[in-house]
Amino acid sequence: MSDTNKDLRAEALRLFDVAIEAADPAKALAAQVTSPFSAPENGRLILIAVGKAACPMMEQALAMTEGPAEALVVTNYENARDIEGATVMAAGHPVPDENGLAGATAVAELLKSTSARDRIVALISGGGSALLPLPVEGVSLADKARTSEVLLGAGFDITEMNLVRQQLSQLKGGGMARLAAPAKTEAYILSDVVGDDLRVIASGPTVAPIGTKSDARKLLAPVWDQLPASVQSHLDTDSNDDGPPEAANMLICSNRKSLEAMRDAHAGAVIVDDRLEGNVADVAPRLAQIAHETEGPAALLFGGETTVTLTGTGKGGRNQDLALRMALAGIEGDWVFLSGGTDGRDGPTDAAGGLVDASSAARMADPHARLANNDAYAALASSGDLVITGGTGTNVADVQILLKR
């Protein structure tokens, strides 16, 4: 590896750190809230944090709280930690598990105990959808988990997946706000989705649902036969719902803010696309073409959330798959490409993504075969190109960095 590429790789990793730092949920919450959290007269203050950034958001909220509060956190295993003054429950992500069911049940029971005198503060971040699996009556957790696996494997994007999840959940699509009523609810939301649609983030527990059962049925038509019978039965029964009661929803952090922070941290950097979506098999050729046509020096930034269709038996994630495809694209010159999840977790792996350069393909073992088997993790591991950060405590989707000398 040339010294030039070593420098470029170091800069790409530095910019990735900048993106993660810009998405610090505690700092974002502190900047948004101008007065302490406190209980109303003769009422309770209830703090509920859900998602991959739940722990730092709760810690900051408690630091800004005056008087007593009841605090409950549900987050993923990697990001869970003890918090003084709060109950912390860890659960599975991206596939829901029994601990998630226990956490969701605890959230529901706490909300059902509220009265009009209480104040509810919801701290919502990405990952909350899988972490709060409280199925509707008649649908088991196993059936809901199977549905999530079908959606992931078929390459549905996050909006489509959450439209379906909302129809199968008691808490999603405004469910938390409905259970809390008539207590007043305010939500502080960290976005992990392209476009920052509040209905999509964590499946919108405090906002109106994305669609209806009818919309879900139409969307699921290509994979309908793969769904559990209980899910088919529930979605086949139409129901009328007026949506959740009104809640105050505030966006405090997003992918765009992380992109802007990286742009400001590197002279001449340009945000090319802040809505990078689609299957990585289609996205990679577009990015490779941009790389081919761009003369250095250049620092091109992208952000969003792609998808990957699973056809093999290997291990990886959308960012690793995209990085591997870029390594195999035959891009000439001195360049590096990083694709990483700001949460530090790409798919069911311990890697955030991948960082490749012009020499990566030559260092890899059987890269084409591993790509065909959805085994990007093994390919990138063989060339030393995995990006491993550990859980970051935040989640504002993915960023991509293309640097050319």
Side-chain angles (χ1 to χ4, degrees):
M1 186 186 302
S2 69
D3 289 340
T4 296
N5 270 12
K6 289 180 181 178
D7 291 344
L8 289 177
R9 290 172 74 93
E11 177 62 3
L13 289 170
R14 184 186 75 85
L15 290 177
F16 188 49
D17 287 340
V18 168
I20 293 171
E21 176 64 21
D24 185 298
K27 292 179 180 177
L29 181 61
Q32 178 70 43
V33 179
T34 58
S35 59
F37 294 121
S38 60
E41 185 176 358
N42 299 320
R44 297 182 295 166
L45 172 63
I46 296 175
L47 307 174
I48 299 177
V50 177
K52 293 182 179 180
C55 283
M57 292 181 81
M58 179 60 78
E59 288 169 338
Q60 184 61 41
L62 287 171
M64 298 186 297
T65 294
E66 291 183 350
E70 299 175 46
L72 176 61
V73 175
V74 183
T75 192
N76 55 314
Y77 295 117
E78 296 87 351
N79 291 353
R81 58 178 179 264
D82 292 338
I83 299 176
E84 186 176 355
T87 298
V88 178
M89 305 181 72
H93 182 280
V95 178
D97 63 10
E98 290 292 337
N99 287 334
L101 178 61
T105 301
V107 169
E109 292 303 314
L110 181 56
L111 292 173
K112 289 176 182 178
S113 74
T114 60
S115 71
R117 297 186 301 273
D118 300 329
R119 178 185 183 185
I120 312 300
V121 175
L123 309 168
I124 308 298
S125 56
S129 186
L131 292 166
L132 289 185
L134 189 59
V136 294
E137 186 175 352
V139 175
S140 69
L141 179 61
D143 288 344
K144 195 174 179 188
R146 171 56 186 161
T147 301
S148 292
E149 291 172 353
V150 170
L151 297 176
L152 283 167
F156 283 90
D157 65 33
I158 189 63
T159 301
E160 294 169 329
M161 291 182 66
N162 285 354
L163 186 158
V164 175
R165 287 167 170 166
Q166 288 174 347
Q167 297 303 320
L168 303 177
S169 173
Q170 296 184 45
L171 293 175
K172 300 172 177 59
M176 281 181 62
R178 284 193 294 270
L179 290 178
K184 295 181 179 179
T185 300
E186 57 198 271
Y188 298 88
I189 303 170
L190 187 150
S191 174
D192 67 330
V193 301
V194 176
D196 303 328
D197 188 339
L198 300 187
R199 301 172 304 168
V200 179
I201 303 164
S203 288
T206 60
V207 298
I210 298 167
T212 64
K213 285 184 178 179
S214 177
D215 295 327
R217 289 196 300 269
K218 293 175 184 177
L219 178 67
L220 292 168
V223 295
W224 186 259
D225 291 342
Q226 301 177 44
L227 300 175
S230 65
V231 172
Q232 294 176 342
S233 177
H234 176 74
L235 294 177
D236 267 336
T237 305
D238 288 321
S239 59
N240 296 320
D241 189 276
D242 295 330
E246 185 176 352
N249 294 294
M250 288 149 280
L251 179 68
I252 65 170
C253 223
S254 69
N255 184 268
R256 177 72 192 190
K257 292 181 180 179
S258 286
L259 291 177
E260 291 171 351
M262 288 195 296
R263 179 195 62 196
D264 295 343
H266 185 105
V270 177
I271 299 173
V272 179
D273 189 351
D274 64 356
R275 290 175 172 264
L276 192 68
E277 296 179 287
N279 194 290
V280 290
D282 300 317
V283 172
R286 299 204 310 265
L287 297 186
Q289 185 64 29
I290 292 173
H292 280 300
E293 296 175 351
T294 300
E295 295 184 0
L300 307 182
L301 309 176
F302 308 81
E305 188 165 284
T306 58
T307 59
V308 60
T309 300
L310 301 178
T311 58
T313 59
K315 181 171 72 172
R318 58 182 180 265
N319 289 289
Q320 294 162 68
D321 195 293
L322 181 55
L324 176 56
R325 290 175 185 274
M326 290 292 282
L328 300 177
I331 304 167
E332 298 179 351
D334 290 324
W335 60 272
V336 299
F337 176 80
L338 185 152
S339 184
T342 56
D343 61 352
R345 291 288 186 267
D346 183 38
T349 76
D350 62 352
L355 169 58
V356 297
D357 57 49
S359 65
S360 290
R363 301 195 306 270
M364 291 178 183
D366 301 321
H368 291 282
R370 284 175 165 165
L371 177 63
N373 192 39
N374 292 119
D375 204 12
Y377 184 96
L380 294 170
S382 71
S383 58
D385 288 329
L386 289 172
V387 175
I388 299 179
T389 63
T392 64
T394 190
N395 186 18
V396 290
D398 306 332
V399 296
Q400 290 79 29
I401 304 163
L402 174 64
L403 302 179
K404 291 195 75 174
R405 187 71 73 194

